[in-house]
């Protein structure tokens, strides 16, 4: 059938993710740093996402498309699938912890996480907190292996995490746009010694080269028993 439906211009899309939050039907998801209409029958064609898009990347067109399936959308919502409202970008401010935890427990330590989301796949490419930021790009496992991860690596940095083996995606496209569209002051890559973590380091290297910017970069390698094995400056930029 021919009906009204959303169209997304990926060239204009800046990856902010606001449209995905605005779509009540969950028809739009962020994939590799771009908003995409995942299924025609999830889109009702009413265009709640249009005014939410700051880049003017969304329009309503008329084309052949599957009919909107409200029952399917509602079932999907009840199952808890689809776009996650918790992925909306925001900065986080912390007060220094003054009180310890319950009696007999380890005293509370302040979190050093300064923004949300943290997953590379979910991060918008042009969030305000990237301006002038020192960026931490870390493998998921490093925070579990290295005891003082927050104080040693996250403090004073914007944190992005991922696992190239489990995610099975190329992070370089998203990271390229983050480097290209923002004034990043420096990059710290924290990876495990295991071979699959080389994919994370390679993605940062590729992104820095593709961005055309000269950004200082350091790589720290953590052992599986939680020790720093290597710290080195990496000349990845062009």
């Amino acid at each position: 059938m021919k009906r009204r439906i959303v169209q997304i211009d990926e060239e204009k899309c800046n990856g902010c993710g606001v449209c995905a939050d605005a779509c009540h039907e969950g028809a739009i998801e962020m994939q590799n740093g771009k908003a995409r209409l995942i299924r025609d029958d999830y889109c009702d064609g009413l265009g709640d996402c249009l005014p939410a898009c700051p880049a003017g990347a969304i329009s309503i067109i008329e084309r052949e498309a599957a009919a909107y399936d409200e029952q399917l959308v509602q079932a999907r919502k009840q199952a808890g699938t689809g776009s996650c409202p918790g992925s909306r970008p925001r900065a986080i401010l912390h007060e220094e912890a003054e009180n310890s935890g319950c009696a007999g427990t380890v005293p509370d330590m302040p979190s050093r996480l300064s923004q949300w989301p943290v997953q590379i796949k979910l991060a918008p490419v042009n969030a305000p907190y990237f301006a002038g930021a020192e960026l931490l790009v870390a493998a998921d496992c490093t925070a579990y292996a290295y005891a003082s991860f927050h104080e040693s690596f996250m403090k004073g940095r914007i944190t992005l995490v991922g696992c190239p083996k489990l995610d099975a995606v190329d992070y370089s496209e998203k990271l390229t746009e983050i480097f290209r569209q923002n004034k990043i002051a420096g990059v710290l890559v924290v990876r495990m010694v295991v071979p699959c973590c080389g994919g994370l380091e390679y993605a940062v290297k590729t992104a820095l080269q593709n961005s055309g910017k000269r950004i200082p970069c350091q790589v720290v390698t953590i052992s599986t028993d939680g020790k720093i094995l290597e710290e080195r400056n990496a000349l990845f930029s062009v």
Side-chain angles (χ1 to χ4, degrees):
M1 63 178 296
K2 199 168 187 178
R3 69 180 184 92
R4 288 164 57 84
I5 195 167
V6 162
Q7 176 174 268
I8 301 172
D9 186 335
E10 290 193 10
E11 292 297 319
K12 291 182 179 179
C13 176
N14 61 19
C16 69
V18 176
C19 61
D21 287 338
C23 179
H24 303 302
E25 290 73 34
I28 298 176
E29 289 187 2
M30 304 305 297
Q31 298 178 359
N32 296 321
K34 296 289 184 178
R36 290 190 171 93
L37 178 66
I38 58 170
R39 282 181 54 157
D40 287 358
D41 54 356
Y42 289 170
C43 177
D44 61 9
L46 297 179
D48 288 345
C49 52
L50 264 72
C53 179
I58 302 178
S59 58
I60 296 290
I61 63 170
E62 191 168 300
R63 65 168 173 83
E64 290 292 330
Y68 171 60
D69 191 333
E70 185 176 2
Q71 290 185 338
L72 180 63
V73 169
Q74 292 303 320
R76 187 165 176 261
K77 287 181 179 180
Q78 291 174 6
T81 57
S83 180
C84 174
S87 65
R88 183 184 296 275
R90 63 186 180 95
I92 300 172
L93 299 177
H94 294 282
E95 295 182 0
E96 293 293 329
E98 297 180 357
N99 300 319
S100 61
C102 298
T105 64
V106 177
D108 289 341
M109 297 297 292
S111 171
R112 297 303 182 183
L113 183 63
S114 60
Q115 100 291 337
W116 186 266
V118 296
Q119 288 290 334
I120 298 172
K121 293 195 301 182
L122 297 178
V125 299
N126 62 346
Y129 46 69
F130 282 128
E134 292 282 346
L135 187 64
L136 168 64
V137 181
D140 288 344
C141 296
T142 55
Y144 295 94
Y146 194 72
S148 60
F149 186 84
H150 276 241
E151 291 297 320
S152 298
F153 303 129
M154 288 176 60
K155 187 176 181 180
R157 294 185 174 94
I158 295 298
T159 300
L160 295 178
V161 302
C163 176
K165 184 173 184 177
L166 295 181
D167 287 344
V169 297
D170 181 2
Y171 296 130
S172 60
E173 180 182 348
K174 167 69 75 69
L175 293 171
T176 295
E177 291 307 309
I178 290 175
F179 297 147
R180 183 179 288 157
Q181 297 188 32
N182 302 280
K183 189 176 181 180
I184 302 297
V187 182
L188 173 63
V189 180
V190 181
R191 54 163 292 184
M192 299 297 294
V193 70
V194 296
C196 57
C197 266
L200 188 68
E201 183 176 342
Y202 178 78
V204 173
K205 173 183 179 179
T206 302
L208 285 170
Q209 290 173 338
N210 291 344
S211 73
K213 292 188 175 181
R214 298 186 64 87
I215 302 174
C217 183
Q218 184 182 16
V219 178
V220 174
T221 302
I222 306 294
S223 68
T224 53
D225 60 350
K227 297 181 176 63
I228 294 178
L229 296 179
E230 182 185 36
E231 297 180 69
R232 57 186 168 85
N233 292 322
L235 301 176
F236 290 158
S237 52
V238 294

